[in-house]
C-alpha cells in the first residue's frame, strides 16, 4: 500500500517563503554594501593619487593629449603642457613625449600641437617626441609604451589632470612601464569644487570599467576648455 502524502501546513509554507525572502534581502543588501565599498574605495584612491607630485627622475615626461583647435591647445591641454615644461626645466627627465591623434577634419594631431607649443616655450625639438596616435587614454598609453620600448626607455612621469592620474598610472604599469605621476595644478579640472567632484566621479567610473574589462572609457569634460 503506497504511503499517503500530506500537504505542508499553510503556516509552514508561509514560514519557508518568509525565510527565502529574508535571505534574498540579505543578499541584495550585502551586494549593495560591497558595491558601495568598492566605489567609495576607488573614489578615495582617485582623490589620494591626485594629490601626489612625484619628481623622481625618469627617462621621459609623458603628456596625455587633450583637445586642440587648429594647432592651439585647449586650456586643459595647455595646463598639462605647462606642467611638462616646468618638469623638464627642473631636470626631471631629458625628453618630453606628447601623445594623441586627431579628429576627422583636424589639421593637427594633439601630439603635434603639444610639441609645437613646447618648442615655442623653448624646449629643443630634439628633446620632444610626438606620438601622433591614440584616440583615448588606453590607446595613447599603449602607443607611448611601444615607442619607449623601441628606444629602450622604461620609466615615465605622467602628466595629466589630477583625477586622471590613477587611471593613467594603472594603464602605464599594465603596459610595462615604470610610471608615476606629477599632475597639473591649474586649468579647468581644478578650477571649482564642482569640476573637481565631477572629475573624481568620472574617473572612478572609468577606472572601475577599465579594471573590469581592460577597455578604455573616456568621458568628455563639462568644464570650459
Amino acid at each position: 500500500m503506497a504511503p499517503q502524502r500530506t500537504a505542508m501546513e499553510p503556516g509552514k509554507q508561509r514560514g519557508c517563503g518568509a525565510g527565502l525572502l529574508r535571505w534574498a534581502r540579505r543578499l541584495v543588501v550585502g551586494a549593495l554594501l560591497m558595491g558601495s565599498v568598492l566605489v567609495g574605495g576607488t573614489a578615495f584612491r582617485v582623490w589620494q593619487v591626485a594629490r601626489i607630485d612625484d619628481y623622481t627622475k625618469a627617462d621621459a615626461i609623458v603628456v596625455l593629449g587633450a583637445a586642440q583647435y587648429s594647432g592651439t591647445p585647449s586650456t586643459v591641454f595647455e595646463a598639462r603642457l605647462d606642467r611638462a615644461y616646468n618638469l623638464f626645466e627642473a631636470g626631471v627627465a631629458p625628453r618630453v613625449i606628447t601623445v594623441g591623434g586627431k579628429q576627422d577634419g583636424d589639421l593637427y594631431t594633439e601630439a603635434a600641437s603639444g610639441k609645437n607649443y613646447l618648442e615655442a616655450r623653448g624646449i629643443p625639438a630634439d628633446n620632444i617626441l610626438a606620438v601622433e596616435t591614440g584616440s583615448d587614454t588606453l590607446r595613447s598609453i599603449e602607443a607611448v609604451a611601444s615607442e619607449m620600448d623601441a628606444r629602450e626607455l622604461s620609466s615615465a612621469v605622467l602628466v595629466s589632470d589630477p583625477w586622471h592620474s590613477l587611471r593613467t598610472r594603472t594603464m602605464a604599469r599594465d603596459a610595462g612601464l615604470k610610471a608615476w605621476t606629477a599632475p597639473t595644478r591649474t586649468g579647468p579640472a581644478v578650477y571649482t569644487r564642482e569640476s573637481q567632484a565631477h572629475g573624481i566621479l568620472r574617473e572612478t567610473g572609468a577606472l572601475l570599467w577599465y579594471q573590469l574589462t581592460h577597455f578604455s572609457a573616456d568621458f568628455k569634460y563639462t568644464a570650459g576648455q
Side-chain angles (χ1 to χ4, degrees), residues 111-123:
S113 173
K115 181 177 181 179
N116 292 340
Y117 181 90
L118 292 172
E119 283 185 44
R121 288 214 60 182
I123 298 181

Side-chain angles (χ1 to χ4, degrees), residues 59-64 97-100 129-134 136-158 168-179 210:
D59 292 328
I61 299 160
V62 176
V63 189
L64 275 296
I97 299 176
T98 58
V99 60
L129 171 64
V131 180
E132 299 184 79
T133 58
D136 58 38
T137 302
L138 181 58
R139 290 185 178 89
S140 295
I141 288 292
E142 289 174 343
V144 166
S146 177
E147 292 290 343
M148 289 184 65
D149 183 63
R151 292 165 174 76
E152 297 184 347
L153 307 174
S154 61
S155 60
V157 57
L158 307 172
T168 56
R169 191 184 74 177
T170 301
M171 290 177 172
R173 290 177 177 179
D174 286 349
L177 294 175
K178 300 173 186 174
Y210 170 72

Side-chain angles (χ1 to χ4, degrees), residues 172-223:
R173 290 177 177 179
D174 286 349
L177 294 175
K178 300 173 186 174
W180 46 94
T181 60
T184 64
R185 299 301 174 198
T186 60
V190 296
Y191 276 162
T192 65
R193 291 195 180 277
E194 181 184 359
S195 64
Q196 294 173 29
H198 181 267
I200 292 172
L201 289 173
R202 182 187 65 245
E203 284 302 318
T204 297
L207 179 58
L208 288 170
W209 175 256
Y210 170 72
Q211 292 175 327
L212 178 66
T213 67
H214 274 254
F215 287 103
S216 189
D218 286 346
F219 303 106
K220 292 183 179 181
Y221 285 87
T222 57

